[in-house]
Amino acid sequence: GHEVSFTAYSMLKSMGWPTSAPSYERLRLCILRLTANAVEIRFDAGSGKRGYGGTLVQEFTFKDESDRQWKVRLNPKLITLFGTDAYTQLDWRQRLKLRSPLAKWLHGFYYTHREPFGYKVETLKGLCGSSAQQLYHFRNGLKKALELLVEQGFLKSWKIDPMTDVVTVVRNARPQGLLGTC
């Protein structure tokens, strides 16, 4: 329920958007949609099933003058969703560098795993909703996406077992102090 203040410029820069007039309008419309639309979030947090239905943003104000100062008030009931066992905090700077949709999906997927275990290539294909017609096409894209995650420092290594077709990844340690970078 506390008000969060920021400049539209700083928000656009943090999301990697251009700082052009259409981007400011796009940002305003995105926040307006978060205010106007209801969402339902359900999950099993290990301590039982929980959920929330309602708006994410309670209200917002903006000034389109020289400072373009904006204020957003999040719905205070959202705090119940952010217990220590209830969400995953991604490294947003790392994610912004990923251009491949599959790499982004894998980033989010493996971020939720403290110690990832192996998945068959076919299982990952189904989980991510790939439209690849042939498994070998998906496998080729998967290899490229996993290599991108190594290049960005998210994964230490990965391998696909040629006998079982199981993908095994080794994650790098999570950066400390992610709060504010997501």
Side-chain angles (χ1 to χ4, degrees), residues 22-139:
S23 293
Y24 284 96
E25 179 63 8
R26 178 182 174 200
L27 176 62
R28 187 189 66 77
L29 291 173
C30 285
I31 295 173
L32 180 62
R33 281 193 301 276
L34 291 171
T35 304
N37 293 307
V39 297
E40 180 183 42
I41 303 167
R42 294 188 283 173
F43 59 95
D44 186 345
S47 58
K49 293 185 180 186
R50 291 196 267 170
Y52 167 80
T55 62
L56 296 176
V57 175
Q58 191 170 11
E59 63 185 11
F60 78 102
T61 60
F62 62 93
K63 285 196 291 187
D64 271 340
E65 296 166 3
S66 60
D67 64 351
R68 295 184 187 249
Q69 188 68 35
W70 294 36
K71 295 179 182 178
V72 172
R73 186 180 309 275
L74 299 177
N75 189 324
K77 294 180 181 175
L78 286 174
I79 195 67
T80 61
L81 299 175
F82 294 96
T84 57
D85 64 344
Y87 73 102
T88 299
Q89 191 174 22
L90 297 175
D91 183 335
W92 192 248
R93 289 185 196 118
Q94 190 175 60
R95 186 171 180 81
L96 285 174
K97 294 176 185 173
L98 301 173
R99 297 291 176 220
S100 156
L102 181 55
K104 285 182 181 182
W105 185 87
L106 290 165
H107 184 252
F109 180 71
Y110 284 123
Y111 229 106
T112 65
H113 294 68
R114 239 178 253 163
E115 294 181 27
F117 46 91
Y119 288 92
K120 286 190 165 228
V121 171
E122 187 172 16
T123 302
L124 290 172
K125 179 182 181 290
L127 288 172
C128 77
S130 172
S131 60
Q133 296 296 314
Q134 302 295 324
L135 193 57
Y136 72 89
H137 286 301
F138 176 76
R139 189 178 296 102

